[in-house]
């Protein structure tokens, strides 16, 4: 094995950490991902920075917290000035390319203000989150009475499907994400009852195998060193999968929901609002879970099979020997746990993600097949990649920590003692339900290995979970007088995080240290009474100088008049 010169950065969308067999699922066997874990390091405490696609990904791509980059929800543009892993990697001599999803929205107003044309090289990179795009596929082509959610969604994929004979104005919906009955009626995957149907598409033409092939096509023609972000759309909803995966699992394989009646009855007001959202009410019903979760498991099984195809191809072509492989997810899926659906709250169900890193270099031999319970954040990936590329990590911009010391057995922990996750729900119907202002529609999570605290703006009490004694997070201790000291301690950590310097991105720590010394040698003399009170060399330009006395000349002129 040689030193990694390339990086294959694989991300699945809405993949729960505990729905892989290497993370303990009882019925869903994922041998190919499990094998990657045996070849590398499996992290058991990897946390995202926001429980929603767009802002979570922006943190991963920038290496910065949501509070820093500002793209706090889907559709909120990433500021034109934010650097991404592509910028950092190219500066280190490594290309950075996209195959799949980013859920990034370009800052069109900012680009126009700076005169950046989207079809220019720099403009295209700014508009695509710093990636050079091989193919972007955000995998979403919904359509409603007010138009399309994303006019460019599944753009190239729909072209592919039409070329393959799937006749429709939107084959992404009609074939890849819907079933069909005997009369040819489309059974839309948007309706959860249809999750039990087989998607009306040949398995090889469905989204996951398609993106696998596109990833291999990129790698085949890539000139290194390169980072390829192979970003899969599934197992994100619509929850429907083609044969043979649609009936591999049934209700008997559906885990019991992690929830309790007391949890619902005593829920914090903000948490209760999320529980009572339509998706929460739907996934609280057994018939919904029994229809959806087998399909979700089938989607994951298909993902794992495609990993087998991809990894074998990498081995056959010799690329496994010099390519780091990183496999993770942008967030989880509640699937009815804690009386919720979707992902937009802070339980581990959503905020903890799988993270497996295989490093082919000999330095990583000692850690192969190990697990690591260090507190890891997804913002750690960007500095890790820069480290692999041989660049210098810009610590004043990148807020994470390189994981190479852990991968190479030099460290067992990251430098942090807590993780942070944020959620901005100010633009969602939940804010209306709570009567929250735009300013108050935000929440923060701070967690260490033993405790998790959730702060909700708007004058609410905190939420507190004892992760050691209540790992399923069923009992909220936020109003417990016996835990007041612990609540204060967790708030101290949150406040320490908010006080960090995150916006001074134009000067590094090294530059600031130099500035401390340089300013005293550039002629600014403050608080010095006598020239002998400071080193004479600093005032050399202010001593021994001769000029005409204009004041005396001016007085003579006045007398002469």
């Amino acid at each position: 094995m040689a030193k990694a010169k390339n990086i294959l950065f694989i991300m699945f969308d809405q993949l729960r950490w505990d729905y892989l067999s290497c993370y303990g699922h009882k019925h869903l066997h994922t041998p190919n991902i499990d094998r990657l874990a045996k070849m590398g390091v499996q992290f058991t405490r990897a946390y995202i920075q926001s429980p929603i696609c767009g802002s979570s990904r922006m943190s991963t791509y920038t290496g910065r917290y949501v509070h820093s980059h500002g793209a706090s929800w889907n559709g909120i543009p990433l500021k034109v000035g934010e650097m991404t892993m592509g910028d950092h990697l190219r500066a280190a001599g490594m290309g950075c390319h996209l195959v799949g999803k980013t859920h990034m929205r370009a800052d069109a107003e900012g680009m126009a203000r700076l005169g950046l044309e989207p079809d220019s090289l720099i403009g295209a990179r700014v508009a695509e989150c710093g990636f050079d795009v091989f193919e972007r596929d955000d995998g979403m082509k919904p359509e409603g009475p007010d138009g399309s959610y994303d006019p460019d969604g599944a753009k190239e994929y729909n072209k592919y499907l039409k070329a393959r004979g799937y006749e429709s104005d939107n084959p992404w919906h009609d074939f890849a994400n819907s079933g069909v009955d005997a009369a040819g009626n489309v059974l839309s995957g948007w309706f959860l009852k249809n999750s039990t149907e087989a998607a009306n598409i040949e398995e090889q033409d469905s989204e996951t195998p398609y993106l696998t092939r596109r990833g291999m096509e990129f790698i085949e023609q890539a000139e290194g060193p390169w980072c390829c972000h192979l970003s899969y759309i599934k197992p994100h909803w619509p929850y429907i999968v083609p044969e043979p995966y649609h009936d591999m699992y049934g209700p008997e394989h559906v885990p019991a929901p992690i929830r309790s009646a007391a949890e619902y009855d005593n829920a914090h007001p903000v948490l209760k609002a999320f529980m009572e959202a339509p998706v929460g009410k739907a996934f609280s019903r057994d018939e919904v879970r029994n229809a959806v979760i087998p399909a979700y498991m089938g989607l994951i099984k298909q993902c794992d099979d495609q990993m087998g195809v991809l990894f074998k191809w990498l081995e056959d072509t010799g690329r496994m020997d010099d390519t780091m492989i990183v496999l993770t997810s942008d967030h989880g899926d509640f699937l009815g746990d804690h009386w919720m659906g979707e992902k937009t709250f802070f339980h581990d169900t959503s905020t903890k993600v799988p993270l497996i890193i295989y490093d082919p270099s000999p330095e990583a031999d000692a850690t192969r097949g190990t697990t690591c319970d260090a507190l890891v954040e997804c913002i750690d990936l960007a500095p890790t990649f820069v480290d692999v590329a041989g660049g210098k990590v810009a610590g004043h911009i990148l807020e994470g920590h390189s994981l190479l010391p852990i991968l190479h057995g030099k460290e067992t922990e990251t430098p942090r003692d807590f993780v942070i996750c944020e959620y901005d729900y100010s633009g969602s119907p939940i804010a209306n339900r709570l009567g929250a202002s735009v300013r108050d529609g935000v929440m923060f999570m701070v967690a260490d290995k033993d405790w998790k605290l959730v702060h909700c703006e708007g004058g609410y009490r905190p939420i507190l979970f004892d992760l050691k004694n209540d790992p399923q997070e069923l009992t909220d201790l936020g109003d417990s007088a016996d835990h007041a000291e612990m609540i204060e301690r967790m708030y101290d950590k949150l406040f320490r995080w908010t006080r960090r310097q995150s916006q001074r991105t134009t000067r590094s720590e090294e530059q600031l240290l130099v500035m401390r010394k340089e300013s005293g040698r550039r002629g600014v003399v403050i608080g010095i009474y006598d020239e002998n009170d400071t080193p004479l060399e600093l005032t050399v330009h202010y001593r021994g100088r001769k000029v005409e006395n204009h004041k005396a000349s001016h007085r003579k002129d006045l007398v002469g008049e």
Side-chain angles (χ1 to χ4, degrees):
M1 290 185 178
K3 177 178 171 60
K5 71 174 184 180
N6 306 311
I7 301 169
L8 178 57
F9 173 27
I10 301 168
M11 179 179 281
F12 294 101
D13 197 325
Q14 206 146 319
L15 171 61
R16 276 179 60 147
W17 68 275
D18 55 352
Y19 269 63
L20 299 172
S21 47
C22 58
Y23 281 93
H25 199 282
K26 295 180 180 179
H27 304 294
L28 181 51
H29 300 294
T30 50
N32 298 297
I33 294 176
D34 292 0
R35 178 170 168 254
L36 185 70
K38 292 176 182 176
M39 295 167 60
V41 176
Q42 177 181 340
F43 293 87
T44 59
R45 295 182 191 268
Y47 285 88
I48 56 172
Q49 273 51 78
S50 185
I52 194 167
C53 297
S55 52
S56 173
R57 289 167 178 270
M58 295 311 101
S59 284
T60 302
Y61 301 154
T62 63
R64 289 166 60 74
Y65 292 105
V66 177
H67 220 56
S68 302
H69 63 66
S72 59
W73 211 73
N74 291 345
I76 295 180
L78 183 69
K79 297 191 297 289
V80 71
E82 285 291 331
M83 291 183 68
T84 66
M85 63 172 61
D87 298 303
H88 295 287
L89 289 177
R90 278 188 291 272
M94 177 179 282
C96 191
H97 308 268
L98 171 69
V99 182
K101 176 176 181 175
T102 64
H103 216 298
M104 184 263 188
R105 181 71 60 86
D107 181 5
E109 291 183 5
M111 292 178 65
R113 187 180 72 252
L114 298 176
L116 293 175
E117 297 294 337
D119 57 353
S120 67
L121 177 61
I122 295 175
R125 285 172 174 168
V126 170
E128 293 292 353
C129 213
F131 293 105
D132 288 330
V133 175
F134 185 76
E135 177 168 338
R136 177 171 173 176
D137 182 4
D138 276 6
M140 288 290 289
K141 187 64 174 174
E143 296 173 295
D146 292 335
S148 176
Y149 173 81
D150 182 359
D152 292 326
K155 187 175 181 180
E156 296 302 318
Y157 180 58
N158 263 346
K159 289 180 183 177
Y160 165 81
L161 291 180
K162 289 178 181 179
R164 294 282 293 170
Y166 295 92
E167 294 298 329
S168 166
D169 61 346
N170 186 2
W172 172 86
H173 171 264
D174 292 347
F175 294 98
N177 286 281
S178 293
V180 66
D181 67 12
N185 297 305
V186 172
L187 305 175
S188 176
W190 287 113
F191 305 123
L192 298 178
K193 68 178 182 179
N194 293 329
S195 297
T196 57
E197 300 288 335
N200 185 27
I201 192 170
E202 293 294 323
E203 192 267 333
Q204 282 300 302
D205 291 331
S206 61
E207 290 166 286
T208 301
Y210 170 78
L211 276 179
T212 299
R213 292 193 299 273
R214 293 296 284 155
M216 292 189 294
E217 288 167 15
F218 165 77
I219 295 171
E220 196 167 36
Q221 55 87 57
E223 297 181 0
W226 48 260
C227 173
C228 174
H229 182 34
L230 179 54
S231 185
Y232 286 93
I233 295 148
K234 296 300 184 181
H236 191 284
W237 41 257
Y239 304 101
I240 190 167
V241 64
E243 296 178 342
Y245 299 98
H246 75 294
D247 60 359
M248 282 186 176
Y249 307 97
E252 68 274 18
H253 301 116
V254 174
I258 301 171
R259 65 190 186 206
S260 72
E263 175 191 28
Y264 182 87
D265 293 339
N266 302 319
H268 183 284
V270 177
L271 178 54
K272 178 62 77 71
F274 281 83
M275 291 176 171
E276 293 183 343
V279 69
K281 289 183 176 179
F283 275 91
S284 295
R285 294 159 48 194
D286 288 343
E287 63 179 323
V288 172
R289 296 184 78 252
N290 289 338
V292 168
I293 293 179
Y296 181 74
M297 293 169 67
L299 287 165
I300 295 170
K301 185 64 175 177
Q302 185 187 36
C303 289
D304 184 72
D305 285 351
Q306 286 302 305
M307 291 300 95
V309 172
L310 177 61
F311 297 158
K312 183 178 186 305
W313 181 81
L314 290 171
E315 288 174 328
D316 291 345
T317 57
R319 291 178 171 90
M320 189 71 88
D321 294 337
D322 62 4
T323 301
M324 172 178 278
I325 301 175
V326 177
L327 187 149
T328 190
S329 174
D330 60 349
H331 51 72
D333 191 328
F334 276 100
L335 296 174
D337 288 355
H338 307 290
W339 308 95
M340 286 183 282
E342 275 284 73
K343 56 265 184 177
T344 52
F345 213 81
F346 294 125
H347 298 77
D348 278 3
T349 300
S350 173
T351 57
K352 195 161 80 168
V353 291
L355 176 61
I356 298 168
I357 302 181
Y358 156 72
D359 181 353
S361 67
E363 292 86 347
D365 287 349
T367 62
R368 299 195 190 284
T370 63
T371 59
C372 175
D373 74 341
L375 289 170
V376 170
E377 295 178 320
C378 287
I379 58 172
D380 294 338
L381 294 181
T384 302
F385 296 172
V386 173
D387 214 353
V388 171
K392 184 177 181 181
V393 175
H396 60 301
I397 301 173
L398 296 170
E399 298 187 282
H401 306 285
S402 172
L403 299 176
L404 274 193
I406 291 177
L407 297 174
H408 293 172
K410 297 177 180 178
E411 301 287 347
T412 58
E413 298 285 347
T414 57
R416 66 174 58 88
D417 63 346
F418 59 86
V419 295
I420 293 288
C421 193
E422 308 169 62
Y423 185 56
D424 174 1
Y425 64 94
S426 60
S428 78
I430 297 287
N432 279 340
R433 193 171 295 121
L434 288 167
S437 68
V438 170
R439 170 64 182 81
D440 287 343
V442 292
M443 302 183 290
F444 301 87
M445 179 201 89
V446 56
D448 56 27
K449 292 184 178 182
D450 296 324
W451 298 92
K452 178 184 290 185
L453 181 138
V454 176
H455 169 76
C456 305
E457 281 289 284
Y460 295 102
R461 69 164 177 83
I463 296 170
L464 181 71
F465 294 116
D466 180 347
L467 301 179
K468 190 173 183 180
N469 296 304
D470 177 28
Q472 293 187 323
E473 303 173 283
L474 293 172
T475 303
D476 175 11
L477 302 171
D479 59 355
S480 167
D482 292 339
H483 293 84
E485 183 179 345
M486 181 52 62
I487 290 171
E488 183 177 357
R489 192 179 306 171
M490 296 304 289
Y491 263 119
D492 283 344
K493 293 184 177 185
L494 180 61
F495 293 155
R496 191 197 328 158
W497 172 78
T498 61
R499 292 193 302 268
R500 78 199 186 285
Q501 176 55 262
S502 65
Q503 299 303 312
R504 191 179 57 218
T505 58
T506 56
R507 286 290 183 270
S508 68
E509 181 177 327
E510 292 82 358
Q511 288 173 316
L512 291 170
L513 291 174
V514 170
M515 284 171 61
R516 295 178 181 183
K517 302 174 183 178
E518 283 187 344
S519 61
R521 300 182 61 83
R522 294 191 176 185
V524 176
V525 182
I526 299 175
I528 305 301
Y529 178 71
D530 184 277
E531 59 265 34
N532 295 306
D533 292 343
T534 189
L536 294 180
E537 65 178 38
L538 301 182
T539 59
V540 64
H541 291 287
Y542 303 146
R543 292 177 291 101
R545 301 173 72 89
K546 300 282 188 182
V547 297
E548 179 183 354
N549 190 335
H550 271 269
K551 291 188 291 184
S553 299
H554 182 59
R555 285 196 296 270
K556 290 178 181 179
D557 292 341
L558 291 175
V559 171
E561 292 178 359

